Amino acid sequence: MNDHQDLSHSLWAATATEPRPDTPALAGTARADVAIIGGGYTGLSAALHLAENGTKVTVLEAKEPGWGASGRNGGQVIPGLKYDPDEIEALYGKETGSRMVALSGGAADVLFSLVERHAIRCDANRSGWIQPAYAERGLSIVRSRAEQWARRGAKVELLDRAQVADLVGAETYRGGWLDKRGGHVQPLSLARGLARAAQNAGAAIHGDSPVTRLERRRTAWRLATQAGAIEADTVLLCTNGYTTDLWPGLSRSIVPVRPFQAASAPLGENLRRSIFARGHVASDTKRLLSYYRLDRDGRLLMGGRGAIDHGRHPELHAQLRSDVHRLFPQAGEPQWAFQWSGWIAMTADHLPHLHALAPGLYAGLGYQGRGVAMALVMGRELAQRALHGDAPRDGWPLTPLRPLPFHGMRGPVLRGIRAYWRMRDSLER
């Protein structure tokens, strides 16, 4: 089993089809139009869009492209947000809300278009995402959700209990819905492919180059690393769940959460015919949701639960494995080959945030576990801000930076919330 800090032994590192790009550490002083801090999906998407526009852009990554959650997530491509479309429009008004719905609903289109255009070898599969309904509450949620997206022209389908059992392989759900816009990718290969595409377009990417200081000097920004520095007109902060105190208040505007994942050895052919036989992925409607899929070699991947510290938490991995017994009893006792985790960013309003922090300084973060597609959209949005400053008429709205009160007490509070949610899920079952 693998330590959560070690990417090299994760399932995705073991099965990546895109090679690790050459990203030498920054040495000396250089100049760029735009400097990007963070080499995950957001930063790489921004770099690619800027470089294709002819902008001189440099990415500074603390480890390697995709080292953080971008290379560790479950690889599920899920359109939309945690809120349903009607809720977004009620919160933000018809004009802005509709724009947010369109951008988030089209996030999967953005991802699969980039994969195709740049020939990224990331096992991309647009078979669709299923949300099975856990208990009666979940059934009403999926019915409303599917209806709202169908009204907006999305390719969705309500599923009854038998259809979910057939497509997922689990008999325990009451029904669900299928969003045909979604699918899955090999997440580390996606990150590496985006890095390769950005480099081919002219972007400079430096790994092993954590930024130690960010400061404004006259009309430019200066970003210092251990061995060099970059001066740039504009800076994009794209660190999401790995955000530090580099800019005051930004790290306290999010709550980093560390979901756990486990993957089995490849299942036998008979089992593969009974679990996700048609290549779908799924995450359910529980408050403490579970998400699961097969990879290209037939390994069963289970993800869920979340820690807020750096501990190993064997009990959370054990809970994932027990979910297999509950959902897929036909799998028996699989041989577990990998377990790992990575940090995602949660916001107080459960929505992604785009911040204008200072003249020429922007940040985008907070995808609530749906960053595989949405982070690529945010990267594109940040690129537009870097190019034009003012928000385009069809862009994502700005959110004021608001550090969370009592941020230092988030541990006990979140543990209490998680225990309460677990109890509610159990009672509803």
Side-chain angles (χ1 to χ4, degrees):
M1 297 297 183
N2 309 310
D3 182 80
H4 71 271
Q5 296 290 345
D6 189 357
L7 176 65
S8 65
H9 298 107
S10 72
L11 167 65
W12 305 129
T15 61
T17 47
E18 282 278 355
R20 178 177 176 174
D22 183 21
T23 57
L26 179 67
T29 301
R31 189 71 170 76
D33 298 326
V34 180
I36 298 173
I37 303 175
Y41 294 150
T42 306
L44 295 170
S45 172
L48 174 58
H49 284 94
L50 286 167
E52 288 184 325
N53 190 72
T55 302
K56 186 177 182 181
V57 57
T58 297
V59 178
L60 299 176
E61 161 58 37
K63 299 289 186 178
E64 65 174 280
W67 185 89
S70 294
R72 300 168 187 260
N73 64 80
Q76 295 200 11
V77 181
I78 305 174
L81 303 165
K82 290 292 186 181
Y83 291 103
D84 291 331
D86 288 355
E87 293 177 288
I88 294 294
E89 292 179 6
L91 285 169
Y92 285 87
K94 183 67 175 177
E95 181 180 351
T96 301
S98 296
R99 191 165 74 240
M100 295 168 69
V101 169
L103 286 169
S104 61
D109 294 331
V110 172
L111 183 151
F112 288 111
S113 175
L114 286 173
V115 167
E116 181 178 7
R117 182 155 57 93
H118 297 285
I120 298 175
R121 296 165 293 173
C122 61
D123 305 328
N125 186 323
R126 203 167 190 180
S127 51
W129 167 67
I130 295 173
Q131 188 173 37
Y134 179 88
E136 288 301 318
R137 167 184 167 273
L139 201 55
S140 64
I141 288 173
V142 300
R143 286 170 177 163
S144 175
R145 190 161 291 159
E147 185 275 328
Q148 290 180 44
W149 280 114
R151 264 194 281 123
R152 291 163 173 85
K155 295 180 180 180
V156 302
E157 180 182 342
L158 268 177
L159 305 173
D160 61 26
R161 189 168 198 154
Q163 288 172 310
V164 170
D166 177 53
L167 296 177
V168 175
E171 304 278 350
T172 59
Y173 293 111
R174 308 294 181 90
W177 73 298
L178 167 63
D179 190 335
K180 298 178 182 179
R181 298 171 296 176
H184 59 88
V185 294
Q186 210 277 16
L188 181 57
S189 289
L190 174 61
R192 289 177 173 178
L194 288 170
R196 169 178 56 79
Q199 288 175 321
N200 289 343
I205 303 178
H206 297 283
D208 298 315
S209 301
V211 177
T212 57
R213 187 174 179 83
L214 170 64
E215 59 184 348
R216 184 76 173 179
R217 289 190 172 182
R218 296 181 182 175
T219 60
W221 290 93
R222 188 177 190 275
L223 299 80
T225 70
Q226 290 180 338
I230 293 287
E231 289 191 352
D233 300 320
T234 303
V235 175
L236 306 179
L237 283 164
C238 304
T239 46
N240 203 42
Y242 296 79
T243 298
T244 65
D245 294 328
L246 194 63
W247 185 258
L250 186 60
S251 66
R252 292 185 290 112
S253 73
I254 60 167
V255 176
V257 177
R258 187 159 62 94
F260 285 78
Q261 297 175 78
S264 72
L267 303 179
E269 289 296 328
N270 288 337
L271 269 179
R272 294 189 210 184
R273 284 194 286 268
S274 71
I275 300 175
F276 293 117
R278 300 178 202 176
H280 298 96
V281 298
S283 53
D284 60 31
T285 59
K286 293 199 307 295
R287 294 172 180 86
L288 292 177
L289 62 82
S290 299
Y291 53 94
Y292 32 89
R293 54 172 283 203
L294 297 183
D295 79 344
R296 69 161 187 257
D297 299 316
R299 297 178 181 87
L300 179 59
L301 168 67
M302 294 292 300
R305 310 309 191 273
I308 54 174
D309 56 33
H310 289 272
R312 290 181 177 274
H313 293 282
E315 76 282 1
L316 296 181
H317 285 296
Q319 184 62 54
L320 291 180
R321 295 191 291 271
S322 74
D323 286 346
V324 172
H325 295 294
R326 177 174 59 85
L327 293 170
F328 307 112
Q330 67 269 38
E333 184 61 49
Q335 177 186 349
W336 295 99
F338 300 91
Q339 65 180 34
W340 70 99
S341 62
W343 294 97
I344 64 172
M346 310 293 286
T347 59
D349 59 6
H350 304 293
L351 289 169
H353 289 175
L354 174 60
H355 299 299
L357 300 171
L361 178 63
Y362 302 95
L365 74 176
Y367 308 118
Q368 328 301 313
R370 294 197 175 192
V372 177
M374 193 60 207
L376 301 187
V377 172
M378 186 63 79
R380 186 186 65 185
E381 294 296 299
L382 287 165
Q384 289 299 310
R385 289 282 179 168
L387 289 170
H388 306 295
D390 293 336
R393 292 182 60 84
D394 58 351
W396 192 263
L398 288 173
T399 300
L401 179 63
R402 295 192 180 99
L404 297 170
F406 309 108
H407 190 266
M409 294 294 293
R410 67 190 184 277
V413 171
L414 286 177
R415 280 190 285 270
I417 292 173
R418 187 170 61 191
Y420 174 70
W421 284 352
R422 186 183 300 114
M423 179 190 70
R424 291 288 301 276
D425 286 336
S426 179
L427 289 174
E428 287 180 0
R429 185 173 66 183

